């Protein structure tokens, strides 16, 4: 029984009394890998971005990437991509005369309703209200927004 406990403790416990170091908790994204992911995501925001494509940027499997992404970025890949798309849409709404449909497509949203739902959930207003506040001298919601997308 004691041999089984030792085996389990050494091989499966994150913290074993008397062990000199903890085992790694899975794959880790180094600074260069995180930079490559950021660049890839920003270059491809207007299109579909898959976990497989992201994994290829880091030479990880999709499963390894999913395990390493949250500790490095503070969110899942999907949440991070939506957040970046919303930031790009906010910037375009506030600084260009492009119509909302053009902005939604350039930012990678699949439809007007997808953009509106993400915008409302994250920022508490629709894209048209954000644009009106940004252009009318009113104060639009902060860029970071609220809640998770």
């Amino acid at each position: 029984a004691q041999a089984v406990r030792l085996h389990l403790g050494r091989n499966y416990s994150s913290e074993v009394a008397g062990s000199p170091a903890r085992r790694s908790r899975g794959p880790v994204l180094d600074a260069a890998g995180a930079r490559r992911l950021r660049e890839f995501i920003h270059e491809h925001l207007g299109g579909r971005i898959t976990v497989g494509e992201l994994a290829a940027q880091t030479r990880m499997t999709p499963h390894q990437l999913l395990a390493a992404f949250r500790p490095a970025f503070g969110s899942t890949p999907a949440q991070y991509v939506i957040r970046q798309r919303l930031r790009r849409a906010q910037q375009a709404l506030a600084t260009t005369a492009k119509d909302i449909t053009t902005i939604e497509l350039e930012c990678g949203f699949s439809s007007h309703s997808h953009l509106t739902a993400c915008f409302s959930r994250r920022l508490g207003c629709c894209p048209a209200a954000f644009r009106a506040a940004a252009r009318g001298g009113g104060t639009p919601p902060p860029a970071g927004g609220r809640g998770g997308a």
Side-chain angles (χ1 to χ4, degrees):
Q2 187 172 8
V4 171
R5 271 195 303 257
L6 269 174
H7 171 75
L8 292 173
R10 285 185 183 143
N11 294 304
Y12 302 103
S13 176
S14 62
E15 193 170 343
V16 177
S19 68
R22 291 183 179 184
R23 290 187 170 270
S24 171
R25 291 188 181 257
V28 176
L29 270 174
D30 60 12
R35 183 177 21 80
R36 281 192 306 276
L37 285 174
R38 274 189 204 91
E39 290 170 359
F40 181 86
I41 290 167
H42 287 276
E43 290 170 7
H44 296 87
L45 271 180
R48 186 168 182 249
I49 300 172
T50 67
V51 172
E53 291 170 330
L54 296 176
Q57 297 300 308
T58 60
R59 295 185 181 106
M60 291 181 172
T61 67
H63 180 76
Q64 290 170 325
L65 174 74
L66 290 172
F69 196 94
R70 185 183 291 271
F73 287 86
S75 67
T76 67
Q79 291 167 336
Y80 181 81
V81 168
I82 290 291
R83 203 167 50 244
Q84 299 315 307
R85 287 180 171 155
L86 285 169
R87 284 189 179 134
R88 185 172 285 180
Q90 284 178 271
Q91 181 180 11
L93 288 165
T95 62
T96 72
K98 294 177 181 177
D99 62 77
I100 294 174
T101 301
T102 300
I103 292 170
E104 89 196 20
L105 294 174
E106 287 178 354
C107 294
F109 289 97
S110 59
S111 66
H112 184 74
S113 62
H114 184 213
L115 170 65
T116 301
C118 290
F119 222 92
S120 297
R121 186 170 45 244
R122 181 92 178 158
L123 299 166
C125 67
C126 68
F130 179 88
R131 173 174 266 171
R135 291 195 172 167
T139 305
R146 61 165 208 222

